[in-house]
Amino acid sequence: MLTDHDAQALLNAHHPDPFAVLGLHADADGRLWVRALLPGATAVEVVAVATGQRVATLSARADMPLFEGLVPRRKLRFDYRLRITWDHGGSSLLADPYAIGPLLGDADLHYFAEGSHLRPFEMLGALPMTLGEGPHALAGTRFAVWAPDARRVSVVGDFNAWDGRRHPMRARGSSGVWELFIPAAGVGDRYKFEILGAAGQVLPLKADPYARAAELRPGTASIIAPLPQRRERAPERRVADTRGQPISVYELHAGSWRRHPDGRWHDWDELAAALPAYVAGLGFTHVELLPISEHPFDGSWGYQTLGLYAPTARFGGPEAFQRFVDACHAHGLGVVLDWVPAHFPTDAHGLAQFDGSALYEYADPREGFHRDWNTLIYNFGRREVANFLVGSALYWVERYGIDGLRVDAVASMLYRDYSRPAGEWVPNVHGGRENLEAIALLRRTAEVLGQEAPGALLFAEESTAFPQVSAPTFAGGLGFHYKWNMGWMHDTLAYLREDPVNRRWHHDKMSFGLVYAFSEHFVLALSHDEVVHGKGSLLTKMPGDAWQQAANLRAYYGFMWGHPGKKLLFMGQEFGQPSEWNHDAELPWGLLGQPRHAGIQRCVADLNRLYRDEPALHALDCDGAGFEWLLVDARELSVFAWVRRDGQGREAIVVCNFTPVPRPGFRLGVPAGAGAWREALNSDAAVYGGSNQGNGGQTLVVQAEPATGRGQSITLTLPPLATLILLPA
């Protein structure tokens, strides 16, 4: 019989090794005993699987839901089930979790502990599985969680009345990992972990860091879900993401692109039925989703996530999200996810003080607390935490076929003094401000994706002058493929806000970006950050009356699409949304009934198509050989002109007039080569809502007359507040 001390420890859920006393055990005389802790049970029998016969009846200890009994006439271990009669009158025939040995391999535990496990999501979390084969195969779920400072970890959920005494887990030595196979648990069941911290305190129930699905907020439980199958990336998708290809990204927030009349979100299947066709129809090459990993607060837009492996339940289950990704691919669109490895919120059910200690976060608040967002910063130097983060990046790409990740808040990761006053940050081991552990994590992420998911892209939202963000790791870089060009965005928007009469004094803001345009591989991003928090919309940043605002915006888009660098535009700005983005409402789609807004949308679509179809506009987006100024110093006129090249003989000319003054008979020096040029796009065209001034239908013959530093030139009309793109005639 079990000692009173062990029995009381089990009842209080404080026993250090439940597998040592529960399940099937032999005593000193070789007799077999079965013990089970089953709160809510009134009777328990042991049934041999081989025969289906009862072989023992277990007795309850006085005043305890602890059942134990001798199995007569048996000396060898055998497979059995427990027939349980419950106090509510029902009965169950269940396998005993404590009769099942360890399932996690020593190699998995070793690689996880050293931070080199490529796929920790295959070993940790809740994995539905079947043990054995044939009629006696046992279906259930293997749970595993990392909690090295815990004194006890139990799985609680729908399958055990959320009772932490029922399923305490097995500690796997020094790895800090706990595991348990529960036959009664299956796909769709909710669960959490009940953890007894090192100080003897029972912590708030914790969601699974590796959960693949979760409850819709305000619920916080994890949900058992299958491990998605690997998705092979189609060859055409790999080609679509190479540097010489056009990349034009439509950034969107899934919860506010479309909504039902009653305010409900569209689910993934409803989005799949409409969004890919819309985005592809506008000529974009990629969709970028603001974070869709599970998060507790709508107002964070997903940037304060607690479920780095779980698509949010707001729009449906993991399978529905996979169908959405497949629908995007079917329309030729790549899918990019915003991914947030920088920080996480402090919600009690999440990662904060996960096992009663600073496990996922830095312990010192000078390192581990983010002042700007009131969040916690991952301990990038802890091997298991780095493994958790790198594994998440690979998970989305490998298991959902995601084409790229946009890494949020990279600047806050790179610097230990980010947004911290002097004396309130901890230097690195060399006394510097760089976070060497975060730098190593980012490089490791790039290397793992490059090795395991070749062709998948990494975009950095990085706002500082940190060197070589988009250089490969073997050359000393961070390994990103592209970096958002935040400086270009700030400078050009500052210029466009100026009244045209004042733009001559700010001329360099439009040209300065070319000083450093090829120091990194850049994305020109007009993102959600520019249309929130009182910043208004892109349209309302433009000066003048309604016509001039629209003309300025179209001219700016022409400047952007003709400028070196890949493109990104946030939803709603493609048709000139006048209001600031509201994450609680859908876009104002009714505006498309107005010619001015429909014209802006058509202009964006035509810019995308021209950008995609004309190699000169994209092939050397990241190479200085693809760009040359034709006119950069015409500040009194607020006119810019340049040539784009593809390196194979193709050329395009971009000319911008940022004043409302039309300029007929404007002579512009052009490269030698083409004998004539034609107007391929005019942002002032009538179909876009413009005044229809320009050179439509005319052949602009090159003349042997010097102009603007060239030996040959063309004469053309520059429309007011407009961008022209010319191609050889």
Side-chain angles (χ1 to χ4, degrees):
M1 300 290 287
L2 197 63
T3 66
D4 289 340
H5 175 77
D6 279 333
Q8 198 61 49
L10 285 172
L11 191 63
N12 295 334
H14 283 181
H15 200 286
D17 187 7
F19 274 85
V21 291
L22 294 176
L24 181 67
H25 294 276
D27 62 18
D29 297 323
R31 298 178 301 171
L32 295 181
W33 290 77
V34 174
R35 300 186 191 95
L37 183 68
L38 295 166
T42 59
V44 182
E45 296 177 334
V46 179
V47 176
V49 170
T51 64
Q53 300 298 311
R54 175 175 59 86
V55 296
T57 298
L58 307 186
S59 301
R61 290 176 75 110
D63 301 321
M64 288 186 182
L66 179 63
F67 295 81
E68 58 186 339
L70 182 67
V71 182
R73 298 182 299 278
R74 287 184 181 258
K75 296 292 185 180
L76 301 177
R77 297 185 65 86
F78 64 101
D79 194 8
Y80 66 92
R81 301 289 184 265
L82 299 177
R83 181 180 290 125
I84 306 166
T85 302
W86 303 101
D87 55 12
H88 55 67
S91 64
S92 306
L93 184 66
L94 300 176
D96 185 355
Y98 299 94
I100 299 168
L103 297 177
L104 289 175
D106 290 339
D108 277 330
L109 297 172
H110 170 78
Y111 291 131
F112 177 70
E114 74 171 15
S116 63
H117 201 299
L118 289 177
R119 296 172 178 83
F121 50 84
E122 292 182 349
M123 62 171 284
L124 294 171
L127 182 64
M129 60 195 316
T130 299
L131 303 182
E133 300 177 348
H136 303 312
L138 185 59
T141 299
R142 186 196 71 198
F143 296 87
V145 65
W146 178 57
D149 286 336
R151 287 169 53 177
R152 185 263 304 171
V153 182
S154 295
V155 184
V156 296
D158 293 332
F159 39 81
N160 63 12
W162 299 85
D163 188 334
R165 299 170 297 174
R166 287 281 300 277
H167 289 120
M169 305 177 78
R170 170 191 277 118
R172 294 300 306 274
S174 62
S175 69
V177 174
W178 302 71
E179 73 162 312
L180 183 67
F181 180 84
I182 302 181
V187 171
D189 285 338
R190 299 175 303 155
Y191 71 99
K192 285 187 177 182
F193 296 111
E194 183 181 278
I195 298 176
L196 183 68
Q201 77 281 30
V202 177
L203 305 176
L205 296 182
K206 293 290 188 178
D208 183 356
Y210 285 86
R212 289 180 286 278
E215 274 190 300
L216 175 63
R217 59 98 181 103
T220 57
S222 302
I223 296 176
I224 299 172
L227 181 65
Q229 297 296 312
R230 295 191 189 191
R231 310 282 296 193
E232 293 297 327
R233 298 182 69 243
E236 60 268 22
R237 289 260 35 93
R238 296 191 187 192
V239 172
D241 293 338
T242 55
R243 192 161 289 139
Q245 296 296 312
I247 294 180
S248 180
V249 183
Y250 185 78
E251 184 192 39
L252 69 104
H253 176 254
S256 57
W257 186 73
R258 289 275 193 188
R259 289 208 175 191
H260 291 282
D262 61 3
R264 288 180 298 113
W265 299 300
H266 281 211
D267 62 27
W268 288 123
D269 289 317
E270 290 169 319
L271 289 170
L275 191 147
Y278 173 80
V279 176
L282 291 179
F284 289 95
T285 64
H286 290 71
V287 166
E288 179 179 319
L289 298 167
L290 270 60
I292 56 87
S293 49
E294 194 56 79
H295 53 280
F297 176 48
D298 291 0
S300 77
W301 315 327
Y303 286 102
Q304 294 192 11
T305 181
L306 284 176
L308 276 186
Y309 289 82
T312 177
R314 288 167 174 80
F315 315 116
E319 298 85 358
F321 176 63
Q322 183 66 74
R323 292 192 293 272
F324 171 81
V325 174
D326 291 345
C328 289
H329 287 164
H331 282 81
L333 294 169
V335 180
V336 178
L337 296 188
D338 265 10
W339 183 60
V340 190
H343 61 120
F344 58 91
T346 60
D347 299 63
H349 72 280
L351 300 176
Q353 293 283 308
F354 186 79
D355 63 355
S357 68
L359 186 62
Y360 282 88
E361 67 270 33
Y362 287 107
D364 189 331
R366 295 175 300 166
E367 299 177 283
F369 184 74
H370 203 297
R371 293 164 170 261
D372 293 351
W373 303 311
N374 293 320
T375 53
L376 298 174
I377 299 170
Y378 286 105
N379 185 345
F380 303 117
R382 190 157 191 170
R383 293 186 298 270
E384 298 91 344
V385 175
N387 222 166
F388 168 76
L389 294 171
V390 177
S392 169
L394 181 59
Y395 177 78
W396 292 105
V397 172
E398 182 179 85
R399 300 292 168 154
Y400 285 100
I402 297 303
D403 300 279
L405 300 173
R406 177 265 195 186
V407 185
D408 181 60
V410 171
S412 75
M413 299 173 67
L414 295 176
Y415 295 105
R416 288 176 161 269
D417 63 345
Y418 182 89
S419 197
R420 295 181 187 276
E424 296 188 24
W425 57 278
V426 180
N428 63 34
V429 293
H430 305 299
R433 56 194 287 257
E434 295 81 9
N435 190 324
L436 303 179
E437 296 90 350
I439 291 169
L441 169 79
L442 293 170
R443 287 174 171 159
R444 170 72 174 160
T445 302
E447 289 166 356
V448 167
L449 288 182
Q451 170 187 318
E452 301 296 321
L457 293 176
L458 275 178
F459 300 84
E461 189 223 9
E462 204 285 311
S463 55
T464 74
F466 192 92
Q468 294 187 287
V469 171
S470 57
T473 60
F474 64 77
L478 290 184
F480 286 90
H481 298 89
Y482 296 99
K483 171 180 172 174
W484 277 21
N485 195 335
M486 313 296 278
W488 176 91
M489 176 271 297
H490 285 296
D491 287 348
T492 57
L493 283 178
Y495 176 90
L496 267 297
R497 285 190 184 96
E498 296 289 340
D499 188 283
V501 74
N502 296 324
R503 285 175 177 168
R504 70 187 70 182
W505 309 111
H506 303 273
H507 195 74
D508 295 344
K509 284 187 169 65
M510 295 297 268
S511 60
F512 182 68
L514 270 302
V515 173
Y516 59 87
F518 309 107
S519 63
E520 300 274 6
H521 304 130
F522 280 120
V523 173
L524 309 180
L526 296 176
S527 76
H528 65 280
D529 279 330
E530 311 319 311
V531 295
V532 292
H533 301 320
K535 296 178 184 176
S537 67
L538 294 183
L539 183 67
T540 56
K541 287 177 172 60
M542 306 295 133
D545 58 22
W547 187 92
Q548 290 175 321
Q549 284 183 320
N552 272 296
L553 186 61
R554 296 191 307 269
Y556 183 35
Y557 287 163
F559 174 88
M560 174 179 172
W561 260 258
H563 193 286
K566 308 308 181 184
K567 326 299 177 191
L568 179 142
L569 188 64
F570 184 58
M571 67 179 196
Q573 309 315 306
E574 77 275 16
F575 55 79
Q577 176 178 343
S579 57
E580 187 171 278
W581 171 51
N582 176 6
H583 72 272
D584 281 327
E586 75 169 4
L587 297 180
W589 294 104
L591 292 175
L592 288 173
Q594 302 177 22
R596 182 170 295 127
H597 294 281
I600 295 172
Q601 183 193 55
R602 181 169 179 176
C603 182
V604 169
D606 286 351
L607 282 167
N608 269 329
R609 293 187 184 99
L610 184 58
Y611 170 68
R612 293 177 68 165
D613 293 345
E614 178 48 58
L617 292 175
H618 66 250
L620 295 179
D621 259 333
C622 304
D623 189 329
F627 176 89
E628 184 181 4
W629 282 113
L630 297 178
L631 187 60
V632 67
D633 56 359
R635 64 175 59 245
E636 295 301 320
L637 304 178
S638 297
V639 172
F640 302 85
W642 62 88
V643 61
R644 294 294 308 278
R645 299 186 173 98
D646 73 343
Q648 304 297 319
R650 296 285 300 180
E651 292 183 327
I653 291 175
V654 183
V655 190
C656 303
N657 175 18
F658 284 112
T659 70
V661 179
R663 303 190 185 280
F666 188 87
R667 185 164 290 278
L668 176 69
V670 297
W677 295 82
R678 63 178 178 85
E679 191 176 86
L681 187 138
N682 174 5
S683 70
D684 187 53
V687 292
Y688 305 146
S691 64
N692 212 35
Q693 301 183 60
N695 312 273
Q698 301 178 41
T699 299
L700 306 174
V701 178
V702 176
Q703 299 170 324
E705 183 172 339
T708 60
R710 302 279 170 167
Q712 56 284 326
S713 61
I714 57 175
T715 301
L716 69 165
T717 295
L718 300 186
L721 297 173
T723 292
L724 303 178
I725 299 179
L726 311 178
L727 296 179

